[in-house]
Amino acid sequence: FLEDGILVRDRGRIRRRYLRSWCFPWDVAAVLPTDLLYLRLGPAAPAVRANRCLRAPRLFEAFDRRETRTGHPNAFRVAKLMLYVFVAIHWYGCLYFALSARLGLGTDAWVCPNASRPGFARPLRQYLHSFYFSTLILATVGDTPEPQREEEFLFVTAGFLLAVLGFATITGSIGSVISNMNAADAVFYPDPEPVRHYLRSRGAGGRLARRVASWHQHLRAQRKLPAERAVLRHLPRGLRAEVAAGVHLPALRRVGLFQSWERGILQQLVLRLRPQVFGPGEFVCRRGDVGREMYFVREGRLAVLAEDGVTQLAVLGEGLYFGEISLINIKGNTSGNRRTANIMSIGYSDLFCLSKEDLAEVLAEFPSARAMMEAKGRQLLLSMGKLDVHAEAAAEAAAAEAERRVQGLERALEELQRRAARLLAQLESGAFKLELRVQRLEGRLRRRPRRDRATGPDKAQDPTGAQSSARVLGLPEVQGPSRVQGPTMPQ
């Protein structure tokens, strides 16, 4: 049983859980030795073994578990359906023999013949006749004797109704199996019908339509999955990396570029690889095209053609790669990010495609791998004569000068930030001191009126309060006459 999603194998825990489950009493009742009643009742009473039918739920449970664990679920469903059909025919044949025994064996042409008929003295012959008669009724193929009694009519009618129900069940089950197979194929392989309809509607059939059909047939025949990312998109990233590594890592290790790389880099690459299949005579890339992907040959052969597109210069086989020069910015590359050769598939070729963005993301995390790839790309450019050494040296000098200027700008920026921080600290300190001074002056102003009210007559000597305000604010006091000369001078 499962506990927190983990299969428990401890026999003691399994035993305790089973003894407390509801299945235990039913299983005990199903295995009781009721066969011993044959010693008293004889073999003519098969109903004493009816307790064996209590195991039917366990049988269905076993079928369901096996169906989810087998590698061929559709074949298992068909086999299970055929088993149900045989069991139904067997039970109906047993009921037919029981009804014949009750009505009298051999009393008419419909019931099972008795032992007096040649060959029917053996129970095996009687069982085979009952099974055959049950098959005729449930298969509705006819050729059955006409019923003579009411019980026989009811039995045949019930058999026909069961046959209709059985045919509907069988048809639905087979239809579901076929639909499941088609759904699985639709997930793994692209549907060619939309492309065919598109070509026919545009009047571009003929040879092009045959090439499209051949490409789809090759995918199904070789069981190649171009929609691999869509199949694995529901898995968590770690498990998806393990699945992709288990499928593609052996083929990726055969590539000469990756033989010295560590497993971590290869796992990062595997998640970003996209399988592509090219047909015979199809160009993977052409000379002068802008390079946005690099390719790794998994299966098949590709021809390197000259500028005329006909002369074959070399053949690329399994484990080789191409297109990396246009993805890596090698200084001094006279071709830039353009393709340097024409690559055509000779037959059906299975390639891995790696985009420029994905490669840059992986190499940014692993600088040693980037340096190794740049070194190999530089060697290849030197052998092809497409590496300008002087331009490379000038580019390196320009890069060094740019790096030096960037470092100078970084130092200047750090100095400016330091000065700005110091000025900001001085500004904050000045503002804090000014705020303290303002608060101190406001406190003096609030205390001075209370003192003036407490002194009384002194206030009359300075009615305007100019002298006290000057003293509070720290201003020089105005010296004037203590007494006004004449009534014309206002206070």
Side-chain angles (χ1 to χ4, degrees):
F1 67 96
L2 294 176
E3 186 177 50
D4 297 332
I6 301 175
L7 191 63
V8 177
R9 299 180 180 274
D10 185 11
R11 293 186 178 183
R13 297 178 60 186
I14 295 173
R15 184 185 303 109
R16 289 191 297 271
R17 184 176 183 272
Y18 175 64
L19 293 178
R20 290 195 298 265
S21 66
W22 62 270
C23 301
F24 176 68
W26 290 93
D27 292 344
V28 171
V31 298
L32 289 176
T34 55
D35 308 75
L36 298 177
L37 295 177
Y38 282 134
L39 300 176
R40 176 178 293 274
L41 302 178
V48 297
R49 302 184 69 249
N51 61 325
R52 299 292 188 269
C53 296
L54 297 177
R55 296 300 299 272
R58 307 290 284 175
L59 180 65
F60 296 148
E61 180 183 359
F63 283 164
D64 293 338
R65 292 191 179 188
R66 175 54 58 185
E67 183 176 344
T68 58
R69 287 164 172 79
T70 182
H72 305 280
N74 293 323
F76 183 81
R77 293 190 188 103
V78 173
K80 183 175 66 174
L81 179 62
M82 296 304 298
L83 176 63
Y84 289 161
V85 170
F86 281 119
V87 170
I89 294 174
H90 164 76
W91 282 353
Y92 196 76
C94 294
L95 292 177
Y96 165 75
F97 185 79
L99 180 61
S100 299
R102 184 175 181 277
L103 297 178
L105 296 176
T107 54
D108 56 25
W110 186 87
V111 297
C112 183
N114 54 16
S116 61
R117 186 171 176 178
F120 280 87
R122 295 181 301 160
L124 177 61
R125 181 63 179 273
Q126 294 177 348
Y127 172 75
L128 293 177
H129 176 82
S130 302
F131 192 88
Y132 170 75
F133 191 87
S134 173
T135 304
L136 293 180
I137 294 179
L138 295 183
T140 64
V141 296
D143 294 336
T144 57
E146 184 179 357
Q148 304 295 330
R149 309 176 190 180
E150 292 80 357
E151 295 87 348
E152 297 173 357
F153 278 105
L154 293 175
F155 188 83
V156 173
T157 303
F160 288 155
L161 294 177
L162 288 176
V164 173
L165 179 61
F167 274 121
T169 304
I170 293 173
T171 304
S173 300
I174 297 299
S176 65
V177 169
I178 296 175
S179 63
N180 291 334
M181 295 174 62
N182 294 334
D185 290 343
V187 171
F188 285 106
Y189 306 106
D191 187 11
E193 291 301 325
V195 182
R196 294 176 182 174
H197 288 305
Y198 174 76
L199 292 176
R200 284 197 295 266
S201 63
R202 298 298 180 180
R207 180 175 176 272
L208 187 58
R210 287 193 296 271
R211 287 183 58 188
V212 172
S214 300
W215 185 80
H216 284 89
Q217 291 175 3
H218 174 75
L219 289 183
R220 290 180 178 270
Q222 301 298 325
R223 305 188 66 83
K224 297 178 180 179
L225 311 178
E228 194 170 272
R229 290 189 175 183
V231 175
L232 303 178
R233 68 181 183 276
H234 299 295
L235 297 178
R237 182 178 179 82
L239 185 57
R240 186 166 65 248
E242 291 294 333
V243 172
V247 174
H248 299 309
L249 199 57
L252 202 61
R253 286 191 180 277
R254 290 196 296 268
V255 178
L257 179 64
F258 301 139
Q259 288 180 355
S260 59
W261 288 18
E262 59 185 26
R263 183 180 177 87
I265 309 177
L266 297 182
Q267 285 185 345
Q268 294 294 327
L269 284 176
V270 161
L271 288 175
R272 293 167 173 83
L273 293 178
R274 290 181 288 110
Q276 290 187 359
V277 180
F278 292 89
E282 186 175 356
F283 279 88
V284 180
C285 60
R286 294 180 181 271
R287 181 185 178 90
D289 293 345
V290 177
R292 297 183 178 88
E293 301 94 4
M294 68 176 299
Y295 298 91
F296 309 95
V297 183
R298 183 183 181 184
E299 293 179 0
R301 294 187 305 153
L302 298 103
V304 182
L305 304 180
E307 296 184 5
D308 57 3
V310 178
T311 306
Q312 183 173 319
L313 303 178
V315 176
L316 301 177
E318 179 181 347
L320 299 180
Y321 59 95
F322 60 92
E324 77 283 359
I325 298 178
S326 58
L327 300 188
I328 304 175
N329 297 323
I330 300 177
K331 301 177 181 64
N333 185 5
T334 58
S335 59
N337 61 344
R338 300 284 179 174
R339 300 294 188 187
T340 59
N342 299 315
I343 308 295
M344 185 189 70
S345 177
I346 298 177
Y348 283 99
S349 302
D350 192 1
L351 307 180
F352 285 137
C353 175
L354 182 63
S355 65
K356 184 176 183 179
E357 294 77 12
D358 293 336
L359 180 63
E361 184 179 352
V362 173
L363 295 182
E365 300 176 0
F366 301 94
S368 60
R370 182 181 186 87
M372 188 183 305
M373 180 173 284
E374 289 180 352
K376 290 190 175 183
R378 187 176 182 277
Q379 293 176 1
L380 184 59
L381 287 176
L382 281 174
S383 63
M384 297 172 59
K386 294 184 176 295
L387 183 63
D388 190 350
V389 181
H390 300 289
E392 182 184 11
E396 291 180 354
E401 178 65 20
E403 182 66 21
R404 187 185 61 80
R405 295 182 62 182
V406 168
Q407 292 178 358
L409 291 176
E410 289 178 351
R411 288 193 295 269
L413 181 60
E414 291 178 358
E415 181 65 23
L416 289 176
Q417 290 177 348
R418 189 162 50 251
R419 291 181 180 180
R422 185 165 55 250
L423 291 176
L424 183 61
Q426 293 176 358
L427 178 61
E428 291 178 353
S429 177
F432 181 69
K433 292 178 180 179
L434 182 61
E435 183 179 0
L436 289 179
R437 187 176 181 185
V438 171
Q439 291 178 359
R440 189 163 54 249
L441 293 177
E442 289 178 350
R444 289 182 181 180
L445 285 175
R446 284 194 296 269
R447 289 195 299 272
R448 188 64 183 177
R450 289 197 294 269
R451 294 177 182 175
D452 292 343
R453 286 195 298 270
T455 55
D458 294 340
K459 190 185 297 186
Q461 297 178 2
D462 189 8
T464 61
Q467 301 294 339
S468 61
S469 299
R471 286 194 299 273
V472 170
L473 296 174
L475 302 176
E477 296 182 0
V478 180
Q479 301 294 333
S482 61
R483 207 168 33 177
V484 179
Q485 301 294 332
T488 59
M489 295 292 292
Q491 294 289 339

